[in-house]
Amino acid sequence: MAALVNSESRQAIQQFLGDNFTSLESLELVDDLLKEEERTHAQLEQEAAAASKTTQSLVAEASGVADSVHSKAMRLINVHSKVVGSTADESVSAWEFRDGTAVMELVSKLAAELQTYRRLRQAKEYVDEFIEIEKIAEQAAQNMAKSSQSVLSAYSASIALLSKHSNDSEVTDSISAQNLLEYIKHTVSSIWTDAETTAANAQSECLRKMGWPGKIDPPVAVLGEFGANFSMLASLDYITRDASEILLQSGVQLQSEDAPPLPLKHIARAVDIRMRYHFESARGTSRADKPEWWLSQVMNMVRSLVPLLELHLQSLYDRSALPPLDVRNEFIRLIQPIIQHKLAHDRSDYISNGLVIAHVSRELSEFEHTLQDVYFFDGPSVLDAFLADSDIFSAWVNAERKSAIDSYMETIADPGAFKQLYEDEVLDRDDPKPTRIAQNVVMLISDIAERYAVVPSCMQQLQFLSTTQFPVVIALVEDVEGEIDEFSRISLAFIRDASSTVSGSDANSPFAAQLRRLASWYQTVWYVEEAARDWNDSAIYVDMWAAVCRHARALGGDADPRDWRDECDDWSEKDRNVLDDCVTLETNEEWLDGGIWERTIKTLGELKQRILELMSRAINKDTVGQLRAYRKKANWASEGVGADADVEVSIELSGLLPELSHLVSMLSELLPFSGSAYLLRSLAAELDTFLVERVASAHQFNSSGGWQFAMDVSAISRVLCASAGSSALRGPSAQLLVKAVECARILSCSLDGEELPGDNDMALSLSEWAPAVLDAATDDKEAMLVLGKLGIRHLSIEQIRQLIKRRVDFAATFSSPEMF
């Protein structure tokens, strides 16, 4: 409005106010002065109209006279030109009328009068338009709280006036026209703002009267009043949308093109006001670590409003001219920015305490699932947008990693980190027995996965896996390998202290303690390995594996999905689109057999095997070390050795067999069947080789000594099989000490059929088959066929010949040089 008043008018106004309003009492004369000014204005308008008519008449008459004079002057000039020659155009201005008046002077005066008239006419139109827009504004103001239709009519009229002047070509040439246009734009915006505010406040008051934010139970009158304000806002919205091109052309910005329906916007605004008051202020309810507080309040407000939206407002909206939509779904969509604003308000708290983000994400996920499952909301995900913030996501990942590593380091530093948590009776033998560190690792990985399972993006889940879970398993593997390396270096593979008098059968002996320590590492790795196998088949990791397979196929060439970790730090938005594409299925059968934990399982299996091999070397070395005296026994060919059928095992084995029995029992307690079976088979193979090479092939025997050797082999076999407690190691002793048993059969075979203690099922005596075997002319294959029928199948022909030569009684009887 100020732009419409020039400096001269402003001075006149100030002079008028100074002359007429010298005191407060003089303000009472305002009405009289206004009436007087209105009468003056009317009189001036009448005079202006009369003057306009007079001017028009005079201008028309003068124009006619001027045209006539000009025509005659031109004819006179033409005549003069014919008489005296041509005349320059500039000389026309020197011609005069008969009374001496200059022709062009009269024409100039008449043109000036015409221009004055035009300015007067424009001024009048300006005043008329100004009065009209003032009347429109006054109409809207007077009916703002009385008649919504009158307000809408005034709003439409103001937009029509705006359209008229926006398209006026004189606007760009006239400062007054530009000022008038600005005032019209200001009036349109004012009517819009006042109408919106009045209807929105009335609508909010109706909500309060209906009992919101509690359960809504609207009285009929209040419901009708609410509907009237809802319709008022809807109509205001429609008029604005319909005139969007005019408003845009005029530079009037009332609302954006994608603005929500006005009545629903203000219902959502009521939710926003309560949210900010209770949860974005200095009140005790405003806590970043309690997302369930404000999300539950939002859900309660939605729950109380949905019946009103469905039963009443949907039909009101459908009767409006606005584009059709689902009122309930649109209202819930308008709630999303309110939640996002709250998340943005607490963003700094989330970044400083990343673990809170996990709690917020869980609550947001449950909130959104409720909206989807109960109210069928199909809009965008706030959680997805929340985690798309790289700072938020990084804060969460870093906090998870730090928390996991801190927890792991605290547990591994405990001297009892590898202590078994449960008694042997609690778990089955073939169930992995968790140690403290193993359970800590499994729980850490499971808990992290449970927290990030709500993350919508598969790429972000893979980044969690790579950054927070794999490092924990890697740390465990490295620590166990370090323990093994240090243990091997210090213990030198469990060399038994020769000065120790503690029996190996003692459960508290150093050797038993060493085995228990190794077994605890085995159980630790085994427990984590079995957990990894379960993880590999769980839904979340199956989806991740499918994602990396899709990504490998998209890369083409020789890309292997197992190498995904090498490049995950460089993934882009394009990679995310591939990884998060849950529609495309993988058809590569080789990849389908794998899994996201495949390499971890392989690494843990190799570490477990390394522990078994270390235990095997230790047990074999210790057991063979205790056979030193047995290896040095030299009376196998003496008379009377083994003459009694009930003779016991060699005295040199009296200390080994109890320890061996205790060892086998302890292994069955410390390890699963597969582990203990591996160790026993390895020990049996070591003993088999020792008995064949260091005893049977290294000493002279007679048949009695051979029977003593057979008794010893049988005793060792019985200990290995009977104490194992498993049918897989029971049965004929040949299953374990196969070569030693065959050596015993040869060494204990009767020389010429005489009776010996015990049973010997060989069909032929030594003198019947040995000469042919020793004969150089005998074919080796034919000899082995004969020996196979005698039950000797695993020894080589050279070993058999050597054993025959070890029979001193046979050598004494058959002393042919060709044989020996």
Side-chain angles (χ1 to χ4, degrees):
M1 184 62 181
L4 299 176
V5 183
N6 55 34
S7 59
E8 295 179 357
S9 299
R10 187 176 294 108
Q11 291 176 1
I13 292 171
Q14 291 175 350
Q15 182 65 35
F16 175 80
L17 293 176
D19 294 340
N20 293 279
F21 301 102
T22 57
S23 64
L24 293 176
E25 290 77 3
S26 61
L27 293 177
E28 299 177 355
L29 302 175
V30 170
D31 291 339
D32 295 338
L33 289 173
L34 287 176
K35 291 178 181 179
E36 182 179 349
E37 289 299 324
E38 289 177 356
R39 287 194 297 270
T40 303
H41 179 70
Q43 183 179 354
L44 289 175
E45 285 187 341
Q46 292 175 359
E47 293 176 356
S52 176
K53 291 180 181 180
T54 303
T55 303
Q56 290 178 0
S57 176
L58 292 174
V59 169
E61 181 180 355
S63 178
V65 173
D67 291 342
S68 175
V69 171
H70 183 268
S71 177
K72 292 178 179 181
M74 292 305 296
R75 287 198 299 271
L76 181 60
I77 291 172
N78 290 334
V79 173
H80 182 271
S81 296
K82 292 178 181 180
V83 176
V84 298
S86 62
T87 302
D89 292 339
E90 290 79 1
S91 62
V92 174
S93 60
W95 288 85
E96 297 178 347
F97 290 106
R98 185 176 301 173
D99 60 357
T101 303
V103 173
M104 297 311 298
E105 181 181 352
L106 177 59
V107 172
S108 299
K109 289 181 179 181
L110 293 176
E113 291 293 334
L114 181 60
Q115 185 65 26
T116 301
Y117 166 73
R118 287 178 178 174
R119 285 198 299 268
L120 289 173
R121 185 182 63 183
Q122 290 176 351
K124 180 180 181 302
E125 290 176 354
Y126 177 86
V127 172
D128 291 341
E129 295 291 353
F130 181 80
I131 293 174
E132 183 178 355
I133 194 63
E134 281 293 317
K135 288 180 179 179
I136 291 173
E138 184 178 0
Q139 176 188 346
Q142 291 176 350
N143 293 282
M144 193 62 68
K146 300 177 182 178
S147 173
S148 59
Q149 292 301 321
S150 297
V151 175
L152 294 173
S153 176
Y155 181 57
S156 299
S158 66
I159 292 177
L161 201 58
L162 177 65
S163 175
K164 173 183 175 183
H165 286 272
S166 296
N167 298 322
D168 191 349
S169 61
E170 295 183 0
V171 171
T172 57
D173 301 329
S174 172
I175 296 178
S176 298
Q178 291 178 3
N179 292 339
L180 178 61
L181 179 60
E182 290 298 321
Y183 185 64
I184 295 174
K185 290 161 61 174
H186 171 73
T187 302
V188 171
S189 299
S190 297
I191 295 175
W192 157 270
T193 303
D194 293 343
E196 179 190 15
T197 303
T198 301
N201 291 340
Q203 181 176 265
S204 299
E205 180 62 19
C206 290
L207 276 177
R208 187 190 65 78
K209 292 179 180 178
M210 288 189 289
W212 190 83
K215 182 179 179 181
I216 294 180
D217 186 14
V220 176
V222 177
L223 186 60
E225 182 182 352
F226 181 87
N229 288 290
F230 184 92
S231 299
M232 167 65 180
L233 289 171
S235 299
L236 190 65
D237 191 2
Y238 171 74
I239 295 172
T240 305
R241 292 176 188 273
D242 190 53
S244 58
E245 292 185 6
I246 298 172
L247 296 172
L248 181 62
Q249 180 182 352
S250 303
V252 179
Q253 182 68 31
L254 300 180
Q255 61 180 8
S256 61
E257 293 182 4
D258 57 348
L262 202 55
L264 295 179
K265 170 187 172 183
H266 285 285
I267 295 177
R269 182 171 175 270
V271 177
D272 188 25
I273 292 172
R274 293 188 61 84
M275 275 289 298
R276 299 196 185 198
Y277 175 75
H278 289 287
F279 303 108
E280 297 182 25
S281 62
R283 300 173 65 86
T285 51
S286 181
R287 290 180 55 178
D289 62 335
K290 294 294 183 180
E292 64 273 20
W293 287 3
W294 55 270
L295 283 172
S296 63
Q297 287 299 313
V298 173
M299 182 58 68
N300 289 336
M301 287 187 278
V302 170
R303 190 177 293 115
S304 64
L305 281 169
V306 163
L308 178 67
L309 295 169
E310 294 177 337
L311 299 177
H312 301 288
L313 302 189
Q314 184 67 61
S315 59
L316 285 175
Y317 183 89
D318 293 341
R319 289 197 293 270
S320 72
L322 291 172
L325 54 75
D326 185 339
V327 170
R328 177 193 59 205
N329 198 73
E330 180 67 12
F331 170 71
I332 296 176
R333 188 185 69 81
L334 295 177
I335 296 297
Q336 310 301 301
I338 300 174
I339 298 174
Q340 290 174 337
H341 189 276
K342 168 60 178 173
L343 294 173
H345 178 269
D346 295 335
R347 184 174 182 273
S348 59
D349 293 327
Y350 298 150
I351 292 176
S352 61
N353 185 7
L355 291 179
V356 175
I357 301 174
H359 182 40
V360 174
S361 299
R362 170 68 63 182
E363 294 296 329
L364 277 175
S365 177
E366 294 179 358
F367 177 81
E368 291 187 342
H369 282 140
T370 301
L371 293 181
Q372 295 165 2
D373 298 340
V374 178
Y375 300 112
F376 308 103
F377 177 63
D378 57 359
S381 168
V382 174
L383 176 59
D384 204 355
F386 176 59
L387 295 178
D389 185 334
S390 58
D391 292 336
I392 290 291
F393 182 71
S394 298
W396 184 6
V397 171
N398 293 336
E400 287 284 7
R401 179 175 61 246
K402 183 179 185 303
S403 176
I405 294 299
D406 288 348
S407 177
Y408 173 82
M409 295 304 294
E410 181 181 356
T411 305
I412 198 69
D414 191 323
F418 290 96
K419 182 179 180 181
Q420 184 174 314
L421 291 175
Y422 308 109
E423 298 295 333
D424 294 337
E425 294 79 10
V426 176
L427 298 172
D428 187 74
R429 176 185 178 184
D430 289 329
D431 292 330
K433 300 175 176 61
T435 58
R436 285 192 60 194
I437 188 61
Q439 188 176 63
N440 176 259
V441 168
V442 171
M443 290 182 64
L444 283 174
I445 293 175
S446 300
D447 291 346
I448 293 173
E450 183 180 359
R451 285 192 288 271
Y452 74 66
V454 301
V455 175
S457 169
C458 192
M459 186 184 81
Q460 289 183 325
Q461 290 183 342
L462 286 165
Q463 289 171 336
F464 260 111
L465 175 64
S466 174
T467 309
T468 65
Q469 293 174 292
F470 280 164
V472 176
V473 179
I474 292 172
L476 175 67
V477 171
E478 292 176 348
D479 285 335
V480 173
E481 287 179 339
E483 291 281 351
I484 292 173
D485 293 340
E486 183 69 12
F487 189 80
S488 300
R489 184 182 65 82
I490 295 176
S491 64
L492 298 178
F494 305 149
I495 294 179
R496 183 181 291 269
D497 185 0
S499 63
S500 175
T501 58
V502 180
S503 173
S505 61
D506 186 355
N508 297 319
S509 67
F511 181 68
Q514 293 171 338
L515 287 181
R516 291 184 184 279
R517 187 178 179 188
L518 274 175
S520 70
W521 296 341
Y522 179 92
Q523 290 286 356
T524 297
V525 176
W526 183 31
Y527 185 77
V528 178
E529 179 193 25
E530 289 300 310
R533 293 184 187 279
D534 293 338
W535 296 331
N536 216 35
D537 296 331
S538 63
I540 185 172
Y541 297 114
V542 169
D543 291 342
M544 290 188 199
W545 178 247
V548 297
C549 288
R550 284 195 302 272
H551 188 257
R553 184 175 61 182
L555 293 176
D558 299 329
D560 190 334
R562 300 169 186 83
D563 297 331
W564 67 271
R565 253 195 105 198
D566 299 336
E567 55 190 20
C568 68
D569 292 337
D570 299 324
W571 278 340
S572 63
E573 190 64 26
K574 180 180 178 181
D575 297 306
R576 176 170 183 160
N577 293 335
V578 175
L579 292 165
D580 292 351
D581 176 17
C582 299
V583 178
T584 304
L585 301 178
E586 184 52 56
T587 57
N588 189 312
E589 294 184 1
E590 179 184 355
W591 292 351
L592 290 175
D593 292 336
I596 206 74
W597 289 95
E598 180 180 348
R599 287 186 173 175
T600 300
I601 294 171
K602 180 181 178 182
T603 299
L604 292 171
E606 292 172 349
L607 181 58
K608 191 173 64 172
Q609 184 62 29
R610 182 185 173 189
I611 296 172
L612 283 179
E613 290 172 356
L614 181 58
M615 294 181 73
S616 176
R617 289 197 301 270
I619 292 171
N620 295 349
K621 190 168 186 177
D622 183 81
T623 303
V624 171
Q626 295 184 68
L627 288 172
R628 189 177 296 109
Y630 186 72
R631 176 175 60 84
K632 293 180 179 181
K633 180 178 178 179
N635 63 343
W636 298 107
S638 301
E639 292 295 332
V641 177
D644 186 357
D646 297 328
V647 67
E648 298 293 337
V649 297
S650 297
I651 191 171
E652 292 83 358
L653 294 180
S654 60
L656 171 68
L657 293 178
E659 287 200 17
L660 185 62
S661 177
H662 174 74
L663 171 66
V664 175
S665 298
M666 183 171 65
L667 291 178
S668 66
E669 296 174 0
L670 296 178
L671 300 173
F673 168 72
S674 59
S676 60
Y678 172 84
L679 295 178
L680 292 178
R681 288 193 181 99
S682 175
L683 177 59
E686 185 74 16
L687 291 175
D688 198 22
T689 301
F690 176 86
L691 293 172
V692 172
E693 296 180 358
R694 308 297 295 277
V695 179
S697 299
H699 296 283
Q700 300 290 336
F701 287 83
N702 59 20
S703 58
S704 298
W707 275 108
Q708 182 64 61
F709 180 75
M711 293 284 289
D712 295 343
V713 171
S714 177
I716 294 174
S717 297
R718 286 196 303 272
V719 171
L720 291 176
C721 294
S723 300
S726 174
S727 59
L729 292 180
R730 293 174 183 171
S733 60
Q735 290 183 357
L736 293 178
L737 306 177
V738 289
K739 291 184 179 180
V741 169
E742 291 182 1
C743 287
R745 291 172 66 85
I746 294 173
L747 295 176
S748 64
C749 182
S750 64
L751 180 62
D752 51 8
E754 75 275 12
E755 288 191 14
L756 293 172
D759 297 326
N760 191 313
D761 56 357
M762 293 190 70
L764 300 175
S765 65
L766 188 65
S767 59
E768 292 177 308
W769 59 268
V773 172
L774 293 176
D775 190 352
T778 303
D779 182 71
D780 290 349
K781 293 183 178 179
E782 293 181 359
M784 290 304 299
L785 290 174
V786 174
L787 291 170
K789 294 179 180 180
L790 295 176
I792 301 173
R793 301 180 181 87
H794 298 88
L795 293 172
S796 67
I797 189 67
E798 291 79 7
Q799 288 177 321
I800 295 171
R801 286 169 179 166
Q802 185 180 8
L803 289 172
I804 294 174
K805 295 175 183 179
R806 289 293 176 183
R807 284 286 298 268
V808 295
D809 49 356
F810 178 80
T813 304
F814 299 91
S815 57
S816 171
E818 292 80 3
M819 294 182 182
F820 297 92

